[in-house]
Each structure stands twice: as C-alpha cells, then as structure tokens.
Amino acid sequence: MTRARVGRRADRSRRRGLPRPARTPGFSWSRRALLGATLLAVLAVAGPLLPGLLDAPVRTEQVAPAPTPVATPTPVPPRTPVVPPEPSPVQAAVAAADATVTRRGADVGIAVLDRTTGALALNDEADDAMNSASLSKLLTAVDLLDRGADGRVTVSPQDRRLIRAALGPSDDPAMNALWTRFGGRSGITRVAERLDLQDTEVPADPSQWGEVQLSARDMTTVLRHVLETMAPADRDLVLGAMAAAPDTASDGFDQAFGLLAPDRRGVAVKQGWLCCLQSSVDLHSAGVLDPEGRFLVAVLSNQPFGYAAARTVLDDAVGALRDVLV
C-alpha cells in the first residue's frame, strides 16, 4: 500500500535517530581494579535501584494460554514428548537479528514466539506502535471470520475470495470492500479487545486502514490466534492465502523481502508497506517461519530511507533469525 501524505503520526515511544552506543575498548588491570572498587561502592548504595537500570537488550516473557476458540477445533491427539523440551532459542535469535540493525534512525521492532515452549522474545522496539500498512488486512480478516464462526455475521463465498485477495497478493480494493462493509475501525477494536493486544489502536482517519497502529509484539499474538484458536476452516483459509502470497503484489510492489525473500521464505507470511508519512517508510514482514509452525515472527519497521535500503534492513534481520532458528 502506498499513500503519499505528510501528517502527524500518532504519539508513540520512539527512539529514532539515536546512535547505538559504541563498545568500550579493554581496560588495563589497574583501571579494572579501580572500576571494581567503584562498582562495589555503587552496589552498596544503589543496589536496589540497579534492576531497572540494567535492562537486557532482549527480554523474554512466558505467554498466557491462548484465548477460548471461537469454534470447537478438530481434536488433535496430544503428543507425548520423549524428552523435556530444551530452552527456547528465541532470545538468541532476536539478539542476533537486533544486532544487524545498524542504520541510524531505523526503528525496527522484532518479536518471536516459540509455540513449543511459550517463550516470547522481544527487542527494545517490539512494542513500538507503527503504521500497520497492509498488516491490518489480517486483523480485519480475523474479525470477520471469528464473527462468522460465532454466527454474528454471514461470510459469503465472495467474502472469502476477498479475504484471499487481501492476504495473498495484498489487494487494496479487496481490503477496501471488507473494511467498508464489515465495520472498519470497530473490527480492529474487537480484535484488540478479544486478543488483549497491548499496542493496537484504530486510525485517526476512519478511511485509512493502513494507519492502524500496532506493534511486532501484537502481531505475534494475532498469528498465534490464527494457528491455535480460529475455527479450522477459517484458519486454513488465512494460512493458505498467506502461504500463496506471490512475489509481486496486486499493485505491482515487489514483496519478496524479509520472510518472503526467495532464500529465506517463511511458510505463511503477510507483508506491509506504506510511504511516506513524516518522510519515512513503513515496511513489515510477519508470519510463520518454519513448516512445523513452531516459530511466529514479526519484524516491523519505520525507516527514514527509501524502500531499497529498508528492504535490506528486513532481509538482514530475518536472515539472522533463520540462521538461529531453522
């Protein structure tokens, strides 16, 4: 989706333009001794304050159980593990991906959910709300299909064709029709409330679905809902459409970047692109990384560069994730 406009972006905690700190060269032994003595003195006085000052660049959380399914899924016999699961590698993966983001001014949120262990790894920008661009198409599809499964609306075969078009080739006219007919901003609100999304907000302009605000963290929650709690037929529709995403979108945009790059393509992916609010581009890649569906990945970015440079940032980040996880 491309929209040329200069306007005020929604308020958000943004650390754009700040250089990353340089690494300090090694100290001599005398300096280390002095530093050690100084550190002991600081610990004695300010020890209780240090946890808030020494945050790791990548944090991990344990996600809560998935919401109640909107419809009873097909029973799947539980698999008995032969050995206890190993610690999740997602923290190392996100740290490696975050280390590739070296362009000054690039705001790149990275979140990876390990569905086997329940570990969710987040970099510092993973909860930054950004313009969703076409990622809002997935939220709109989820809202419509969930309401259809509950019997609150009728989802026709034509509606399902529109969903496929909006999610695969990322067709904007298809999204316009769904957005207009099935609630627009109210659909985003319903999904945010149902899934307890933390950073998602409706657009100020009700006609601009590309300006829905959401974060990488929230996208992993939406993807998990698709895989674990949607009605099976609806889940298959969404994942099938995302899996069939072509390299070239319906508007002619080359969406073979990030999780759709030929050498690192994910299993089911939704891409997003938007230009040029505040003289920057929003470029996103989110989806299922591996055939087993263990790792759910979201890499969202707002970058003060052209699309070519922005694509390289996402390619490098996703490449680092794959090197660790797959």
Side-chain angles (χ1 to χ4, degrees):
M1 171 184 179
T2 302
R3 177 172 179 241
R5 185 177 77 100
V6 177
R8 182 176 61 84
R9 295 173 61 85
D11 291 338
R12 60 179 68 93
S13 59
R14 203 48 86 86
R15 289 172 287 282
R16 248 180 254 160
L18 297 180
R20 292 176 176 258
R23 296 187 181 274
T24 305
F27 292 107
S28 66
W29 283 111
S30 60
R31 288 185 178 179
R32 289 180 181 176
L34 178 59
L35 176 60
T38 303
L39 179 58
L40 288 175
V42 172
L43 285 171
V45 175
L49 301 178
L50 288 178
L53 301 176
L54 301 179
D55 290 338
V58 175
R59 63 191 190 275
T60 56
E61 302 175 359
Q62 202 69 18
V63 297
T68 303
V70 296
T72 303
T74 302
V76 178
R79 293 182 299 175
T80 303
V82 178
V83 294
E86 297 179 356
S88 176
V90 291
Q91 185 171 16
V94 171
D98 188 61
T100 69
V101 184
T102 57
R103 287 181 178 271
R104 179 173 298 182
D107 187 6
V108 183
I110 305 171
V112 180
L113 172 63
D114 183 344
R115 294 176 59 232
T116 297
T117 66
L120 173 65
L122 311 163
N123 76 339
D124 280 349
E125 292 77 29
D127 53 5
D128 281 4
M130 306 182 193
N131 289 316
S132 66
S134 289
L135 297 186
S136 60
K137 295 171 181 175
L138 177 57
L139 275 68
T140 295
V142 165
D143 172 62
L144 173 57
L145 293 171
D146 281 358
R147 286 197 290 155
D150 283 347
R152 288 175 286 167
V153 296
T154 299
V155 183
S156 69
Q158 172 62 18
D159 297 330
R160 291 180 177 271
R161 285 192 290 271
L162 290 173
I163 289 172
R164 291 190 190 93
L167 295 181
S170 201
D171 186 74
D172 287 349
M175 175 59 171
N176 290 339
L178 295 170
W179 182 262
T180 301
R181 290 168 51 197
F182 294 104
R185 292 191 299 183
S186 63
I188 302 300
T189 299
R190 283 189 292 267
V191 172
E193 291 177 349
R194 172 170 173 74
L195 304 186
D196 192 26
L197 303 182
Q198 301 297 304
D199 312 304
T200 298
E201 297 180 0
V202 299
D205 183 340
S207 69
Q208 296 303 319
W209 44 261
E211 294 178 30
V212 169
Q213 301 296 298
L214 78 162
S215 65
R217 175 192 184 121
D218 281 355
M219 277 304 299
T220 62
T221 302
V222 174
L223 290 167
R224 184 187 181 206
H225 171 68
V226 171
L227 267 70
E228 297 183 5
T229 57
M230 287 189 78
D234 297 336
R235 174 199 63 211
D236 294 346
L237 168 61
V238 171
L239 294 179
M242 292 168 58
D247 289 348
T248 303
S250 62
D251 65 356
F253 190 86
D254 179 4
Q255 60 175 350
F257 62 87
L259 287 167
L260 281 187
D263 59 343
R264 58 181 65 91
R265 188 179 176 101
V267 174
V269 182
K270 186 71 199 82
Q271 307 284 68
W273 55 92
L274 177 64
C275 181
C276 301
L277 303 181
Q278 294 286 325
S279 301
S280 63
V281 300
D282 294 282
L283 195 67
H284 315 313
S285 189
V288 183
L289 181 65
D290 57 307
E292 294 76 24
R294 175 176 177 177
F295 299 111
L296 306 182
V297 170
V299 182
L300 274 61
S301 73
N302 179 268
Q303 306 184 45
F305 324 116
Y307 278 131
R311 292 162 67 97
T312 298
V313 172
L314 264 69
D315 287 347
D316 291 346
V318 171
L321 292 176
R322 290 191 64 88
D323 287 345
V324 175
L325 298 176
V326 179

